[in-house]
Amino acid sequence: MDIFDALTLAGGLSLFLFGMSVMGRALERRAGGKLRSLLGRLTSSRAAGLITGLGITAVIQSSSATTVMVVGFVNSGLMTLRQAINVIMGANVGTTVTAWVLSLAGIDSGNVLVRLLKPSSFTPVLALAGIILYMFCKGDRKKDSGLILLGFATLMFGMETMSGSVSGLRSVPSFQSLFVMFQSPVLGVLAGALLTAIIQSSSASVGILQALAVTGQVTYGAAVPIIMGQNIGTCVTAIVSAVGATKNAKRAAMVHLSFNVIGTAVWLALFCLARSLLAPAVLGEPASLMGIAVIHSVFNVLCTMLMLPLASLLEALVCKIVPDAKRPEEPAELDERLLATPSIALERCRAVAADMARTAADALRESIASLRSYSKETAEAVREKEDRTDHYEDLLGNYLVKLSARQISEADSAEAAKLLKMIGDFERISDHAVNLLESAEELEEKGLSFTKPARTELETLFDAVGEILDLSLSAFLGDDVAAAEMVEPLEQVIDDLKERMRTRHIIRLQHGICSIDAGFVWADLLTNLERAADHCSNIAGCVIDMRLRNNAHTHEMLRERRDGSEDSRQSYRAFAAKYLYAEQAGA
């Protein structure tokens, strides 16, 4: 092996790792909705957690990435430690998929149909299809599909390049002696752990081992300890990601390490015992690509079978290793670890935005209640909720900006932009709630009151604003387009109601029925209630845009309804009969 072979090996390794990264990220974007669905079905059931971890890892092709994601979930309080244990065990099995795909490179047959299964036969076709999808097709889904094919083709080309560059090593004595040294189980485990810790991917390190296997110098006796060590090395990523996290997140990372260390120790001891007592001849034979894939899968399945019944003991162990914190810990509302999986991070943003929406709505309802009957307790609650919505706005705003800077799909980018707009509306609703509270405090401090007709009119407006708040909140929380469509007609009724109330109050002022001081408070109330309704209308419009962004025809139809369709006019007339005419009759 000369300098040129070494350069070819480095280039092949680079292409292999790059192809795996590109393919994994494209698979993740392409399957974003399915990832959310898998996590949505997650329960405390062992089987459900195991299947979830297996499925996610099979999709994104990295048990390290899945475990980092789990650490983020535990740190955010979205997953318990027991659930995390089940998912991590499933992830260890799911990571074996890559080795089986790479083992296809070892197919050697004269049969044409069998040869077609060899990657060198079909990856050029996949690369051609991938570049056509990526460069000439529109739409994120097609482009991501193209990147998946291109990433896979690059990965397999890198694998073949590595195999070709090291094939000459079969006759190099020093290389032969190197793998004779790895016959020592301890050295084999250390070598596998070190390599995997450096490249932070057990799938990639298994692929490198498969590439070296083409030399014929990697025996099954050397491959088994190396594969065991690779499972330990892959824990480094999760351990690093848990730095600065909550105690339960650290425990989740420690579960990953403990699971692999205990599994390796048990099965390595049995392996050494079997080799000493039975001395099976197969351990001295050269390992094939398929054989390495089998070992990788069998070892991970055996570890899972060993540890799955002992999950509660594993949980108790990591709780001893990572003791409870001296001070109570609050889970992270938005964990930056989840940014590595944008579709999951966006789903978490929606959950936090839902909390913000409920908080802002409660603040507005309580401020209206304070106008009916003022109390210091209600005033404190409104201000506390307004502070919380300010916190949510800063938190979500910064997080969504970081998320948008990632390579995400067009649909996810549009949803992130809409959420950024809506959190501004929620925050303004809470601001108007505080303004209404200040008006209530002014009425209380100055001993002011409205006339009976004015109070009747105000109650009608309170009811209308309460209904538009409920409709917009239901539209956002339930992604309910039907509720969103009803918001705009009601907002128009509130605008008309406000103008009528303002006009009538001016008449009362002219006749000396109301005082000037009460009139200033009245004007502030009408302005803040009407503007809160405007923000509800903005939220409903964003819900319609988010729900129907991929259906241009339906989107246009709903726009027409909002701008004066027959359905919109009917809704307006219904709300007018409920509020405008009722208010007029009361006046």
Side-chain angles (χ1 to χ4, degrees):
M1 184 177 182
D2 56 21
I3 184 63
F4 298 105
D5 289 328
L7 291 174
T8 302
L9 174 62
L13 176 60
S14 301
L15 288 173
F16 176 79
L17 296 175
F18 176 72
M20 180 169 286
S21 175
V22 169
M23 184 179 69
R25 291 182 181 276
L27 278 166
E28 177 192 313
R29 288 194 301 273
R30 189 71 172 77
K34 293 180 181 178
L35 287 180
R36 289 196 289 265
S37 176
L38 276 171
L39 290 168
R41 290 196 294 267
L42 180 64
T43 67
S44 57
S45 162
R46 288 184 180 180
L50 196 70
I51 293 170
T52 299
L54 192 156
I56 291 175
T57 307
V59 168
I60 64 178
Q61 296 284 293
S62 173
S63 60
S64 298
T66 302
T67 307
V68 169
M69 195 189 311
V70 167
V71 170
F73 288 148
V74 174
N75 197 48
S76 301
L78 298 176
M79 186 183 290
T80 66
L81 182 60
R82 182 154 297 185
Q83 288 175 323
I85 292 173
N86 299 327
V87 176
I88 289 170
M89 290 183 182
N92 271 37
V93 177
T95 195
T96 63
V97 171
T98 308
W100 283 100
V101 174
L102 295 176
S103 69
L104 296 175
I107 293 175
D108 186 16
S109 173
N111 187 295
V112 175
L113 293 177
V114 175
R115 286 180 61 189
L116 287 174
L117 296 175
K118 192 176 176 67
S120 59
S121 302
F122 63 79
T123 49
V125 179
L126 296 183
L128 178 62
I131 200 65
I132 291 172
L133 287 170
Y134 183 70
M135 294 191 67
F136 302 108
C137 294
K138 295 182 179 179
D140 283 345
R141 295 176 69 84
K142 291 181 180 178
K143 287 185 177 294
D144 283 337
S145 297
L147 278 177
I148 292 169
L149 298 178
L150 286 170
F152 180 75
T154 304
L155 180 154
M156 295 309 303
F157 182 77
M159 177 75 174
E160 292 183 2
T161 302
M162 283 194 295
S163 300
S165 66
V166 300
S167 59
L169 291 174
R170 68 178 71 244
S171 57
V172 177
S174 58
F175 184 75
Q176 295 175 6
S177 62
L178 175 67
F179 275 95
V180 169
M181 181 180 66
F182 285 153
Q183 295 285 349
S184 166
V186 175
L187 288 178
V189 168
L190 290 176
L194 182 62
L195 174 63
T196 309
I198 292 172
I199 63 177
Q200 298 199 9
S201 172
S202 60
S203 297
S205 62
V206 170
I208 294 171
L209 181 63
Q210 286 176 308
L212 293 173
V214 301
T215 63
Q217 301 302 318
V218 182
T219 63
Y220 284 108
V224 170
I226 292 174
I227 290 172
M228 291 181 176
Q230 287 167 342
N231 272 33
I232 296 175
T234 194
C235 300
V236 169
T237 310
I239 292 171
V240 171
S241 76
V243 174
T246 63
K247 68 177 186 306
N248 276 333
K250 292 175 181 176
R251 287 170 177 172
M254 193 56 62
V255 164
H256 193 210
L257 179 62
S258 302
F259 172 83
N260 285 307
V261 168
I262 294 172
T264 297
V266 170
W267 295 117
L268 183 64
L270 291 176
F271 169 77
C272 293
L273 187 64
R275 192 178 66 169
S276 299
L277 297 178
L278 304 177
V282 69
L283 295 181
E285 294 180 3
S288 66
L289 275 67
M290 186 70 73
I292 290 174
V294 170
I295 294 170
H296 192 213
S297 295
V298 169
F299 173 65
N300 281 282
V301 169
L302 288 174
C303 284
T304 302
M305 291 173 60
L306 172 69
M307 299 303 298
L308 191 59
L310 305 176
S312 57
L313 294 177
L314 186 60
E315 183 180 7
L317 173 64
V318 297
C319 287
K320 288 286 186 182
I321 296 173
V322 183
D324 289 331
K326 294 181 180 180
R327 296 180 180 178
E329 294 179 321
E330 291 292 331
E333 292 163 304
L334 290 173
D335 197 306
E336 295 203 5
R337 295 167 185 81
L338 300 182
L339 290 172
T341 316
S343 59
I344 303 299
L346 187 59
E347 187 67 19
R348 182 58 186 151
C349 286
R350 281 193 61 86
V352 174
D355 289 340
M356 181 183 185
R358 295 186 190 96
T359 302
D362 288 343
L364 187 61
R365 292 191 191 100
E366 290 175 6
S367 65
I368 290 174
S370 71
L371 286 163
R372 291 182 172 125
S373 177
Y374 176 80
S375 70
K376 289 184 178 180
E377 292 77 12
T378 303
E380 290 176 0
V382 170
R383 288 195 167 91
E384 187 272 329
K385 288 179 172 63
E386 195 273 336
D387 289 340
R388 206 185 318 163
T389 55
D390 286 345
H391 165 71
Y392 279 135
E393 184 185 34
D394 292 340
L395 179 72
L396 279 165
N398 292 330
Y399 197 83
L400 285 167
V401 168
K402 291 178 182 178
L403 179 61
S404 299
R406 300 262 173 163
Q407 189 177 2
I408 60 178
S409 68
E410 185 178 343
D412 284 350
S413 179
E415 185 168 357
K418 295 297 181 184
L419 281 176
L420 276 170
K421 290 174 65 177
M422 282 194 282
I423 62 175
D425 287 305
F426 292 134
E427 194 276 333
R428 290 300 296 147
I429 287 173
S430 68
D431 286 344
H432 290 302
V434 171
N435 293 342
L436 291 172
L437 174 65
E438 290 172 350
S439 294
E441 289 173 336
E442 185 176 355
L443 290 171
E444 183 74 14
E445 291 169 4
K446 295 181 178 180
L448 301 174
S449 62
F450 300 123
T451 63
K452 184 177 180 180
R455 289 198 302 271
T456 302
E457 293 173 10
L458 201 55
E459 283 296 331
T460 302
L461 183 57
F462 286 163
D463 291 342
V465 171
E467 183 167 1
I468 199 172
L469 181 65
D470 291 340
L471 284 172
S472 60
L473 189 63
S474 296
F476 174 68
L477 296 179
D479 201 19
D480 188 346
V481 173
E485 287 185 72
M486 298 176 68
V487 170
E488 185 65 21
L490 180 53
E491 195 273 332
Q492 292 172 6
V493 168
I494 290 172
D495 286 346
D496 294 343
L497 186 59
K498 171 200 167 187
E499 292 305 319
R500 290 190 184 188
M501 291 172 65
R502 178 173 287 174
T503 300
R504 287 177 183 150
H505 197 73
I506 291 172
I507 294 172
R508 286 194 292 269
L509 285 171
Q510 290 173 340
H511 287 81
I513 299 173
C514 292
S515 66
I516 295 295
D517 289 342
F520 287 140
V521 177
W522 179 266
D524 288 341
L525 288 177
L526 297 187
T527 298
N528 283 293
L529 289 167
E530 185 268 335
R531 288 180 179 172
D534 287 343
H535 290 295
C536 289
S537 179
N538 293 342
I539 292 165
C542 285
V543 169
I544 293 172
D545 290 340
M546 289 172 65
R547 177 71 179 275
L548 304 167
R549 58 180 169 262
N550 295 323
N551 189 335
H553 177 71
T554 309
H555 179 78
E556 182 180 349
M557 179 182 66
L558 286 175
R559 285 294 188 191
E560 289 175 357
R561 287 183 180 180
R562 293 180 65 199
D563 295 339
S565 68
E566 182 57 32
D567 288 342
S568 179
R569 287 193 290 272
Q570 286 181 1
S571 295
Y572 176 85
R573 287 193 290 268
F575 287 126
K578 185 175 182 180
Y579 296 113
L580 274 178
Y581 304 145
E583 177 270 340
Q584 191 172 13

